[in-house]
Amino acid sequence: MEMNGDQLSVYALGGLHEVGKNMYVIEYGQEIVVVDCGNKFPDETLLGIDLIIPDIHYLIENQERVKALIVTHGHEDHIGSIPFFLKKLNVPVYATRFTLGLIELKLTEHKILRETELIEIQADSVITFEEIKIEFFKVNHSIPDCLGIVFRTPEGTIVHTGDFKFDLTPVNQQHSDIHRMAEIGKEGVLLLLSESTNAERPGLTPSEQMVGHHLEKAFMDAQGKVFVSTFASNVSRVQQVVQAAILTNRKLALIGRSMVNVVGVAIERGYLAVPDEMLIDQKQINDFPPEKVAILCTGSQGEPMAALSRLSTGNFRGVDVLHGDTVILAAGPIPGNERSVTTIVDNLFALGANVIYGSGVTTGMHVSGHGYQEDLKLMLSFMRPKYFIPIHGEYRMLYKHQQLAESVGVQQGHTFILKNGDVVDIKNQEARQTRKVHAGHTYVDGMGVGDVGNLILRDRKQLSEDGMLVVVLTMSKSKKELISDPDTISRGFVYVKESEALMNEVNQRIKQSLSELREENKMEWKAIKQQIKKSVGEFLFSKTKRKPMIIPIIIEI
Amino acid sequence: MEMNGDQLSVYALGGLHEVGKNMYVIEYGQEIVVVDCGNKFPDETLLGIDLIIPDIHYLIENQERVKALIVTHGHEDHIGSIPFFLKKLNVPVYATRFTLGLIELKLTEHKILRETELIEIQADSVITFEEIKIEFFKVNHSIPDCLGIVFRTPEGTIVHTGDFKFDLTPVNQQHSDIHRMAEIGKEGVLLLLSESTNAERPGLTPSEQMVGHHLEKAFMDAQGKVFVSTFASNVSRVQQVVQAAILTNRKLALIGRSMVNVVGVAIERGYLAVPDEMLIDQKQINDFPPEKVAILCTGSQGEPMAALSRLSTGNFRGVDVLHGDTVILAAGPIPGNERSVTTIVDNLFALGANVIYGSGVTTGMHVSGHGYQEDLKLMLSFMRPKYFIPIHGEYRMLYKHQQLAESVGVQQGHTFILKNGDVVDIKNQEARQTRKVHAGHTYVDGMGVGDVGNLILRDRKQLSEDGMLVVVLTMSKSKKELISDPDTISRGFVYVKESEALMNEVNQRIKQSLSELREENKMEWKAIKQQIKKSVGEFLFSKTKRKPMIIPIIIEI
């Protein structure tokens, strides 16, 4: 069903009932504005998949109406799909200076930087299309230069918060503009879209400064080298590591590609202050006494190829974690990464390091960038929206956020818990959710975008659990008889060498199946293949309780 | 290297640098006593593996010396490998009444109950061998009838704590016998083996009674049916659910096989008190008003086939979670299970249930059965051991436990952080760790025990990520020439139908490889296969950035 007339429509192509892959869309009349273009990483059931990006078929079909991609901030779940998006849609991209820096790194990697129209905005920028006018407001989050967005439409005002928390003592002057938020709310908000990541957590998010105090203490206590692993894009935290290093008179080395790249962007664009002569190359680390060196490294999520993982196993060339060194994990593990992170912690302890890990107040080395329940209620209270759509989160987070909204006065029935693709249409100030646009996951696997589907994933799953057995039958075309014994080749199932008896029995089953089919006069190749799959599969399951994929191949001579 | 002379030796065949698969061994002279026989579940890298059990080759080689398997309590990580153990070693099994009940369920399933010698012990039992005398003491843990073990040997006393916490207000009289512990410590302990699961957590473990209070409140607040999911073996918690149901005048139904079995054992053996007429069959649930029914179910770890998961998707025949029902997850997720659990929570919210989830004091629906740092220090303080081996845990937990031991007086250098197989020998009261016995993982996959090794797992990994391509070459035996075009069959890679051009190019590469080999006069089958693997693999990687397994098959005619 297509939209008709000049109404206001809002929907997500990613980010609902999931964490990551954020993409929200505002339509009014002939204008479509897209907010964010993130990716997410596959869980362990999506075998072999590298990335998941939003399915943007709907936007491609309506490309003449798509006026802009506006990016709230530079995290992967908000910018990670931009290269794939731009290869399909030629649309200008609006973002702040720091966010653009990270987008440019990405476009350079994909070799499409030159043909892209990138437009820098600030918190006080205004973008004016025919019908939709766009303003911004500053929010605080765990990366610099984050914006919330205000859409002024003939139907009313929509606010999209981006990711945010309220940190009243932020690092590097990354203040939330609460005065502007109050003003927007006072003018009247028809619809609020607000992020839900921490809607399950009571209280107010602790300030980033808490981490700074703990970092300083750890640096002062440390005897040998100090390694700190964190997200490179968390420039406030990087700044606090710099301060702790200054305080304890240590040089600072950066290791890991994204640490070097992103810190480079932050320094160059003025978001990070590092004294001259403080930065040293990783090759110089061993030129200084250990108590004079700090090292910022990637890999806080346990990524096997990143610096911290390689350091923990002694496989980082030229840099060693030694007995007496301190290693600080200044980032919380993203759900699903816990095991990889704890393995690294184990290995670092085994090297004799003093490892400071674990999030929360216990170690104080990490605070979330996403608002807790009181932060979310404060945003809702500023905006006083008539309608509310909780965004960014799995169902239980959206659900809790709805409860929070009602607790601060949003009317029952005025909150929409949507799925990706569900459209809220607003006309004459009344919102209704009745229709859908196409939305979905697109899998990226190597160079392939969208070519791996459920059938291939189902095959990979079977192959991964029980392997496979290829059965080659060489048969005469004329008589439809076996010319020689069947050949069997297995991978991931059993060592055929060690299972000669089993394979002999498999051959017996095959011959038996063939003679049965011959008696029933069913010697078509398709029937033969089906019968062999069935009889060999059942036989192997009865003998091994495993279900390898059986692949019969018939060679006609 | 073999042990010589009458010395005391202690080592683990499972449970060190891991959580699960516990098996510890005490040797003195000609006597070997084994403590516990657990399994663990594979992480996502062990594709297709069902279970991991200890490698017991060393015990099999020394089977005439193995006198007993003593089991501290009935959790899977302490009893899960017993059937596999007993199929290899005919050894009497000693355990308490409740633990034996769970072991019997397991042996019945494996059809080896009859031929096993099961010996029931109590806390005051004494088992006397030639040299080793064994006593016990009661400990509190999240399952009834748990014991610590005291080994009296000519060399001195060894204490093995089993799993424990100190709960001064336990449910169902499962008290720790702190007087006996104090006595054992006063008499003198040469070596303590104590569990390390929660060595990272500061403080004292909360009492199980805390959960009872929260359950009662939730039951009183509930409008509709109340579902509680917990470990069936946590009889204290089940008892508290029973109490909350009595308080609110609800009938109780059990769903899930292990809930029915284990609660059955607990009632029959007198560990759980349930009033007559309170239990109803799951078929009767809809015969009562929803506010008169409570349901205990399996699946608190998100297991896809267990009751809670099926309830959450509306796939449990005859029982529905409806709007207004309450669902309580009264168990913490084991690391690695978080995502499956949160998916279930999402689905339950979507059904309209009031879901109470999350561990810790926030919801109060779960407390750990493993002692925190203060519990561990109390045990160390009671036992005052000369030597200490932290057991049950990954490296960082063992390391933290060593620090705790030193903080309460264990001498530096007297703690051994071991790997599975590392032996501590004690002679003349002096302990040394110099030698190893064979230890390792044995994988159970379907009916196969130990037949899946790293080669098969590596194949499964490659198949799982990029699938495979079978290339069949039909060649004349005489001329060594292709008789027809190569056949290609792929699974988990690309749809061949949609990639006709790609497969045509693959065929070109194969023909080219063959003609190159012919020119170089290298037309042996082995060389052909290698060359095809290489050239097709490289070609496909360059085109797709994927690395499917290439399986060349040559049919000679």
Side-chain angles (χ1 to χ4, degrees), chain B residues 318-382:
Chain B
V319 187
D320 294 305
V321 176
L322 300 176
H323 196 274
D325 286 346
T326 298
V327 183
I328 302 170
L329 275 77
I334 293 169
N337 294 347
E338 294 88 350
R339 279 197 220 183
S340 326
V341 173
T342 51
T343 302
I344 288 178
V345 171
D346 281 334
N347 292 338
L348 289 168
F349 269 126
L351 292 176
N354 173 29
V355 191
I356 305 175
Y357 64 102
S359 64
V361 282
T362 329
T363 60
M365 292 301 182
H366 176 66
V367 298
S368 177
H370 299 278
Y372 288 10
Q373 292 180 347
E374 296 305 313
D375 302 70
L376 301 180
K377 283 155 72 179
L378 187 53
M379 179 63 82
L380 283 153
S381 300
F382 276 131

Side-chain angles (χ1 to χ4, degrees), chain A residues 78-258:
Chain A
H78 296 258
I79 70 170
S81 298
I82 291 179
F84 304 99
F85 178 93
L86 291 176
K87 284 173 193 171
K88 300 284 184 180
L89 282 167
N90 183 18
V91 169
V93 180
Y94 296 79
T96 55
R97 195 167 149 71
F98 184 73
T99 307
L100 280 184
L102 300 185
I103 293 171
E104 284 170 22
L105 287 176
K106 215 165 261 298
L107 299 181
T108 305
E109 224 171 86
H110 281 259
K111 304 194 173 88
I112 54 169
L113 178 59
R114 280 163 158 239
E115 57 259 44
T116 306
E117 187 183 356
L118 298 174
I119 300 166
E120 187 179 313
I121 51 176
Q122 291 89 33
D124 59 357
S125 296
V126 176
I127 309 170
T128 310
F129 299 107
E130 293 282 318
E131 303 275 16
I132 303 177
K133 194 174 118 192
I134 299 172
E135 303 162 13
F136 303 92
F137 57 96
K138 278 193 73 168
V139 295
N140 173 274
H141 183 46
S142 48
I143 187 169
D145 234 8
C146 300
L147 296 178
I149 310 177
V150 184
F151 297 87
R152 308 289 191 184
T153 77
E155 189 65 41
T157 296
I158 299 178
V159 173
H160 181 300
T161 62
D163 281 346
F164 72 95
K165 70 193 255 196
F166 289 98
D167 187 340
L168 300 179
T169 56
V171 174
N172 280 1
Q173 302 304 318
Q174 296 289 325
H175 283 92
S176 316
D177 190 347
I178 54 177
H179 300 91
R180 180 88 181 97
M181 292 181 205
E183 204 172 54
I184 295 162
K186 211 165 173 193
E187 290 161 15
V189 173
L190 177 63
L191 169 65
L192 173 68
L193 291 82
S194 180
E195 75 124 328
S196 314
T197 315
N198 272 336
E200 297 175 290
R201 291 207 207 173
L204 196 79
T205 325
S207 171
E208 178 65 28
Q209 286 212 7
M210 188 189 87
V211 177
H213 298 310
H214 286 92
L215 281 170
E216 284 186 3
K217 186 172 180 313
F219 270 66
M220 291 201 289
D221 292 348
Q223 309 293 318
K225 300 195 288 296
V226 181
F227 294 81
V228 182
S229 185
T230 192
F231 288 109
S233 64
N234 193 334
V235 174
S236 294
R237 197 155 301 159
V238 170
Q239 184 70 66
Q240 297 194 109
V241 172
V242 171
Q243 299 312 124
I246 292 171
L247 183 76
T248 54
N249 204 18
R250 291 170 183 264
K251 299 282 183 189
L252 184 66
L254 307 173
I255 64 183
R257 192 172 59 108
S258 75

Side-chain angles (χ1 to χ4, degrees), chain B residues 240-273:
Chain B
Q240 296 193 114
V241 173
V242 171
Q243 299 314 122
I246 293 172
L247 183 75
T248 53
N249 203 17
R250 289 171 185 265
K251 298 283 181 185
L252 184 66
L254 307 173
I255 64 184
R257 194 171 58 108
S258 75
M259 190 58 76
V260 173
N261 286 346
V262 176
V263 168
V265 169
I267 294 176
E268 169 208 313
R269 302 201 170 198
Y271 292 87
L272 180 69

Side-chain angles (χ1 to χ4, degrees), chain B residues 14 95 98 116 143 163 202 209 221 270 288 293 311 342 409 426 513 551:
Chain B
F98 184 73
T116 307
I143 187 170
D163 281 347
Q209 286 212 6
D221 292 347
F288 294 86
V293 180
L311 285 165
T342 51
I426 307 183
S513 293
I551 303 170

Side-chain angles (χ1 to χ4, degrees), chain B residues 298-541:
Chain B
T298 53
S300 63
Q301 294 305 309
E303 306 92 327
M305 297 310 295
L308 188 65
S309 171
R310 285 153 60 206
L311 285 165
S312 76
T313 51
N315 287 316
F316 198 97
R317 224 160 69 115
V319 187
D320 294 305
V321 176
L322 300 176
H323 196 274
D325 286 346
T326 298
V327 183
I328 302 170
L329 275 77
I334 293 169
N337 294 347
E338 294 88 350
R339 279 197 220 183
S340 326
V341 173
T342 51
T343 302
I344 288 178
V345 171
D346 281 334
N347 292 338
L348 289 168
F349 269 126
L351 292 176
N354 173 29
V355 191
I356 305 175
Y357 64 102
S359 64
V361 282
T362 329
T363 60
M365 292 301 182
H366 176 66
V367 298
S368 177
H370 299 278
Y372 288 10
Q373 292 180 347
E374 296 305 313
D375 302 70
L376 301 180
K377 283 155 72 179
L378 187 53
M379 179 63 82
L380 283 153
S381 300
F382 276 131
M383 296 302 167
R384 301 188 304 196
K386 181 174 181 186
Y387 294 107
F388 175 53
I389 302 176
I391 60 172
H392 302 175
E394 294 178 18
Y395 185 82
R396 65 191 183 284
M397 304 169 191
L398 307 178
Y399 177 85
K400 290 271 178 186
H401 203 175
Q402 172 180 39
Q403 292 183 313
L404 296 175
E406 291 175 359
S407 79
V408 296
V410 172
Q411 213 177 301
Q412 280 211 342
H414 279 200
T415 298
F416 296 91
I417 298 189
L418 305 179
K419 292 192 172 73
N420 294 328
D422 287 347
V423 182
V424 168
D425 293 310
I426 307 183
K427 193 146 193 174
N428 304 325
Q429 313 288 307
E430 291 301 320
R432 296 187 318 140
Q433 191 268 303
T434 52
R435 65 188 180 94
K436 284 177 187 296
V437 297
H438 175 76
H441 297 306
T442 297
Y443 299 136
V444 179
D445 180 2
M447 311 256 269
V449 178
D451 67 339
V452 171
N454 289 333
L455 200 60
I456 283 186
L457 287 173
R458 210 182 53 201
D459 283 350
R460 287 183 185 172
K461 186 168 157 58
Q462 188 181 1
L463 290 167
S464 77
E465 288 176 353
D466 292 312
M468 53 105 182
L469 184 75
V470 178
V471 178
V472 186
L473 309 183
T474 314
M475 302 186 82
S476 65
K477 205 180 280 186
S478 47
K479 293 190 193 163
K480 296 204 171 186
E481 271 173 3
L482 275 180
I483 291 175
S484 58
D485 263 3
D487 278 309
T488 52
I489 294 129
S490 86
R491 291 288 188 283
F493 171 51
V494 282
Y495 297 105
V496 177
K497 274 185 231 163
E498 293 172 10
S499 312
E500 216 173 300
L502 194 69
M503 289 305 132
N504 285 340
E505 283 200 72
V506 165
N507 281 349
Q508 289 313 311
R509 297 285 157 144
I510 292 170
K511 288 178 189 165
Q512 193 185 322
S513 293
L514 288 177
S515 69
E516 281 168 19
L517 287 169
R518 191 180 309 283
E519 273 174 34
E520 296 170 37
N521 212 4
K522 288 184 183 163
M523 284 293 280
E524 308 92 46
W525 292 161
K526 201 179 154 194
I528 294 174
K529 284 183 181 180
Q530 271 176 354
Q531 183 55 32
I532 284 173
K533 270 190 201 179
K534 188 165 173 291
S535 67
V536 174
E538 285 171 359
F539 167 71
L540 289 177
F541 184 73

